[in-house]
């Protein structure tokens, strides 16, 4: 949308891209997305392979190699191809932000004309400041479909946009390819861990109404409180992703309260919900925090009272008190699901 130019540094990163104000329709926008994401994917692989070659030469990682089958027998470190299996996944953060941004642009700008291209770009550059910026932000948040509600309008947009990355990243093997391990190739993956907080700090305002430098959506989870139709709708939206090809992880976070699971009936409902997600919808992964908002807020104010409070962050669990406040806030803002 910035014409191939990094808006903060002014550095041109890719040629042949029009500024958003000059794009004639939504199809042209998606064509530009495809070109940009493919080029950035290639550049990210170049950087990763350069890092791996330096690590292979200067940081053999003896301990990790010793604990990885079959480095000792082969006499090779993991960076030399000593592992039996060697698959690399990229880290795609903000899947829901991409979905909701595309839906907002398509509906409010190109279909309904409620926001002009110039107005949207100005609002994004100003981080929605001022009366007009606030008005546009509220329209983006409240008047466009949101991923996580089993709405094909928005879900299919992100499925198609994600396919560009999935197709491109599979073209590039890692530095161990052909040197012994099974694999040596790359796959997509949304296992963002808590990187959505850190990467959000480097991301300007987005067309889904998200403010600059705030956390991006984690994993393949919907943006906080944008999923309004319950956990079944979330599962159905996530299951539309090309999960067989996103083998680096399709990380879905969900939060329920202890009170909700206090009855046997609700525990049975949750069990049936999870079974349906995996058996019928072919879900990949889901993980739960069973804690209420009030407990988390109290733990922030009085950490000495909650030294044993453990939460599920993403691909790992951690003591709540050990997390940064930004990560704590991100967990607190997750939607509390009901059954």
């Amino acid at each position: 949308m910035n014409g191939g130019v990094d808006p903060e540094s002014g550095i041109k990163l890719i040629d042949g891209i029009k500024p958003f104000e000059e794009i004639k329709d939504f199809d042209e926008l998606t064509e530009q997305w495809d070109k940009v994401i493919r080029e950035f994917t290639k550049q990210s692989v170049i950087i990763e392979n350069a890092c791996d070659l330096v690590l292979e030469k200067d940081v053999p990682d003896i301990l990790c190699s010793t604990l990885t089958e079959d480095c000792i027998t082969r006499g090779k470190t993991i960076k030399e191809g000593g592992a039996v299996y060697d698959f690399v996944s990229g880290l795609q953060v903000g899947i829901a932000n991409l979905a909701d941004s595309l839906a907002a642009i398509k509906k409010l700008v190109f279909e309904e004309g409620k926001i002009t291209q110039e107005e949207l770009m100005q609002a994004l550059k100003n981080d929605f400041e001022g009366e007009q910026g606030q008005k546009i932000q509220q329209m983006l948040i409240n008047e466009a479909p949101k991923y996580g509600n089993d709405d094909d309008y928005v879900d299919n947009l992100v499925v198609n946009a994600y396919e560009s990355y999935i197709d491109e990243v599979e073209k590039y093997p890692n530095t161990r390819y052909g040197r012994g391990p099974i694999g040596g190739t790359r796959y997509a993956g949304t296992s963002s861990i808590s990187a959505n907080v850190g990467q959000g700090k480097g991301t300007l305002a987005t067309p889904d109404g998200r403010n600059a430098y705030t956390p991006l959506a984690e994993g393949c989870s919907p943006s906080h409180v944008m999923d309004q139709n319950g956990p079944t709708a979330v599962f159905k939206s996530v299951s539309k992703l090309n999960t067989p090809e996103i083998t680096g992880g399709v990380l879905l976070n969900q939060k329920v309260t202890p009170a909700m699971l206090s009855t046997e009936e609700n525990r049975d409902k949750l069990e049936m919900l999870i079974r349906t997600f995996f058996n019928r919808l072919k879900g990949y992964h889901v993980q739960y925090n069973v804690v209420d908002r009030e407990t988390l807020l109290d733990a922030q104010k009085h950490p000495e009272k909650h030294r044993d409070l453990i939460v599920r962050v993403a691909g790992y669990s951690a003591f709540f008190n050990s997390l940064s406040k930004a990560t704590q806030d991100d967990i607190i803002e997750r939607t509390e699901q009901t059954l």
Side-chain angles (χ1 to χ4, degrees):
M1 294 176 68
N2 292 290
V5 175
D6 171 27
E8 293 203 296
S9 68
I11 297 173
K12 193 172 186 62
L13 300 174
I14 181 170
D15 294 321
I17 301 299
K18 293 181 181 179
F20 182 63
E21 296 90 334
E22 299 177 12
I23 293 174
K24 65 179 184 296
D25 54 31
F26 187 76
D27 287 341
E28 186 173 20
L29 176 67
T30 57
E31 289 171 5
Q32 293 208 152
W33 159 264
D34 181 77
K35 181 177 180 179
V36 170
I37 198 64
R38 289 180 185 275
E39 176 62 23
F40 276 31
T41 299
K42 182 177 74 173
Q43 295 301 328
S44 73
V45 169
I46 291 171
I47 294 170
E48 288 177 9
N49 281 350
C51 291
D52 278 352
L53 290 173
V54 172
L55 290 171
E56 179 181 339
K57 178 182 177 183
D58 297 331
V59 189
D61 203 342
I62 300 301
L63 177 60
C64 188
S65 298
T66 301
L67 299 174
T68 301
E69 188 182 5
D70 201 27
C71 292
I72 292 178
T73 301
R74 293 178 175 180
K76 295 181 178 180
T77 66
I78 54 175
K79 293 299 182 183
E80 294 172 328
V84 175
Y85 303 99
D86 194 330
F87 299 94
V88 177
S89 167
L91 180 67
Q92 297 89 65
V93 179
I95 303 302
N97 302 112
L98 172 61
D100 296 349
S101 293
L102 290 172
I105 293 171
K106 183 179 182 183
K107 186 175 190 290
L108 300 178
V109 177
F110 290 113
E111 291 181 350
E112 298 181 354
K114 291 183 176 181
I115 305 172
T116 68
Q117 290 162 252
E118 292 77 13
E119 287 174 336
L120 177 58
M121 286 304 295
Q122 191 63 39
L124 294 176
K125 290 176 182 177
N126 293 337
D127 195 19
F128 305 112
E129 289 184 354
E131 183 177 346
Q132 179 67 3
Q134 289 285 305
K135 178 182 176 181
I136 289 174
Q137 184 179 36
Q138 291 306 308
M139 292 173 65
L140 296 171
I141 293 172
N142 298 313
E143 299 184 28
K146 296 293 183 286
Y147 167 79
N149 295 289
D150 189 25
D151 186 335
D152 285 343
Y153 183 98
V154 56
D155 295 346
N156 289 340
L157 289 177
V158 75
V159 168
N160 293 332
Y162 202 164
E163 201 62 37
S164 297
Y165 177 85
I166 292 172
D167 176 69
E168 187 67 20
V169 78
E170 290 180 347
K171 298 177 182 178
Y172 306 109
N174 63 38
T175 58
R176 279 84 63 196
Y177 182 77
R179 300 167 68 183
I182 296 171
T185 49
R186 282 183 164 83
Y187 297 94
T190 75
S191 298
S192 58
I193 318 299
S194 54
N196 63 300
V197 176
Q199 292 201 13
K201 290 182 178 179
T203 305
L204 298 177
T206 44
D208 57 343
R210 174 194 148 273
N211 283 108
Y213 313 123
T214 59
L216 295 163
E218 87 278 343
C220 66
S221 307
S223 294
H224 296 328
V225 305
M226 292 298 105
D227 46 330
Q228 300 290 321
N229 293 340
T232 55
V234 174
F235 282 174
K236 292 180 75 174
S237 285
V238 171
S239 69
K240 296 171 192 176
L241 296 172
N242 188 3
T243 51
E245 298 299 324
I246 311 175
T247 50
V250 188
L251 188 150
L252 172 61
N253 284 311
Q254 293 277 273
K255 184 168 72 173
V256 295
T257 66
M260 194 195 69
L261 293 184
S262 62
T263 68
E264 185 175 354
E265 179 184 4
N266 278 349
R267 291 194 294 271
D268 289 342
K269 285 181 180 179
L270 182 61
E271 179 181 344
M272 289 186 288
L273 182 67
I274 295 172
R275 288 185 181 277
T276 301
F277 179 52
F278 289 107
N279 294 334
R280 296 189 62 181
L281 297 178
K282 306 303 179 185
Y284 188 101
H285 170 97
V286 63
Q287 58 193 20
Y288 285 88
N289 266 314
V290 184
V291 62
D292 57 65
R293 180 184 181 88
E294 289 70 26
T295 298
L296 297 176
L297 289 172
D298 191 65
Q300 279 190 323
K301 294 180 181 178
H302 308 287
E304 71 282 357
K305 297 180 181 179
H306 301 272
R307 293 175 180 172
D308 60 346
L309 178 59
I310 296 176
V311 294
R312 190 71 176 169
V313 182
Y316 67 99
S317 297
F319 285 103
F320 186 74
N321 290 339
S322 71
L323 301 172
S324 68
K325 185 177 184 302
T327 301
Q328 290 178 347
D329 289 341
D330 190 53
I331 293 172
I332 290 170
E333 292 305 317
R334 291 176 184 173
T335 303
E336 288 188 354
Q337 299 290 359
T338 58
L339 296 174

